[in-house]
Amino acid sequence: MSRLLGLDVGEKRIGVAVCDETQTLARPLLTLKRASKKEDFARLAALCREHAIEKVIVGLPKTLRGEEGPQAQRVRRYAIELQAALNLPIDFWDERFSTAEARDLIIGHALTRKNEIDAIAAAVILQDYLDGHNPRYAPI
């Protein structure tokens, strides 16, 4: 298996996470400060090459009702352009509550650096995706 890259795309920053080669465990990688799309895509492409990424998982910020609002539509458009730039498949994953879960993890581990929350949120999204696609966790 190869690695997956998880993204939490915000207006100012992009949280980035990566999983291990067995696609079992996600970990925060870094937080990118957004620049132009061209610069963002170049930095993400470099990370994909460095970590031998086969697919990108993008958190989709749905509403509490599970619908796609304006922010989800912006993220979807951004990800579609990113997919063309990376020439890698992209899956979307519902990211509702991922930032809240990341904040809980930070509080629970006494982490204080604000820029970590985006990368941790990306790891939460990616781990949820991995768990949802792991046959060991399939309902009986």
Side-chain angles (χ1 to χ4, degrees), residues 7-59:
L7 300 179
D8 180 27
V9 179
E11 291 182 25
K12 296 180 182 180
R13 293 177 304 278
I14 301 171
V16 182
V18 67
C19 72
D20 64 329
E21 290 179 352
T22 66
Q23 297 183 6
T24 304
L25 185 62
R27 68 175 173 84
L29 187 61
L30 55 87
T31 299
L32 295 175
K33 185 175 180 185
R34 296 262 316 250
S36 68
K37 284 183 186 175
K38 182 178 180 180
E39 291 170 299
D40 293 351
F41 295 173
R43 292 186 293 177
L44 291 168
L47 288 171
C48 288
R49 285 189 302 275
E50 178 182 345
H51 294 279
I53 300 300
E54 77 171 18
K55 184 188 290 187
V56 178
I57 310 306
V58 177

Side-chain angles (χ1 to χ4, degrees), residues 93-108:
W93 195 254
D94 185 354
E95 72 164 38
R96 282 180 285 177
F97 310 114
S98 63
T99 300
E101 190 173 338
R103 282 192 184 109
D104 290 346
L105 289 169
I106 288 173
I107 291 168

Side-chain angles (χ1 to χ4, degrees), residues 99-119:
T99 300
E101 190 173 338
R103 282 192 184 109
D104 290 346
L105 289 169
I106 288 173
I107 291 168
H109 291 91
L111 299 174
T112 57
R113 289 181 281 179
K114 184 179 178 180
N115 65 344
E116 291 181 357
I117 194 163
D118 298 302

Side-chain angles (χ1 to χ4, degrees), residues 38-95:
K38 182 178 180 180
E39 291 170 299
D40 293 351
F41 295 173
R43 292 186 293 177
L44 291 168
L47 288 171
C48 288
R49 285 189 302 275
E50 178 182 345
H51 294 279
I53 300 300
E54 77 171 18
K55 184 188 290 187
V56 178
I57 310 306
V58 177
L60 198 59
K62 293 184 177 182
T63 67
L64 292 177
R65 291 182 177 191
E67 299 166 346
E68 290 189 26
Q71 182 61 20
Q73 292 168 0
R74 281 191 288 277
V75 169
R76 187 177 287 281
R77 285 191 303 269
Y78 183 90
I80 289 169
E81 290 181 49
L82 176 62
Q83 181 177 21
L86 296 179
N87 197 28
L88 287 172
I90 289 185
D91 273 352
F92 293 96
W93 195 254
D94 185 354
E95 72 164 38

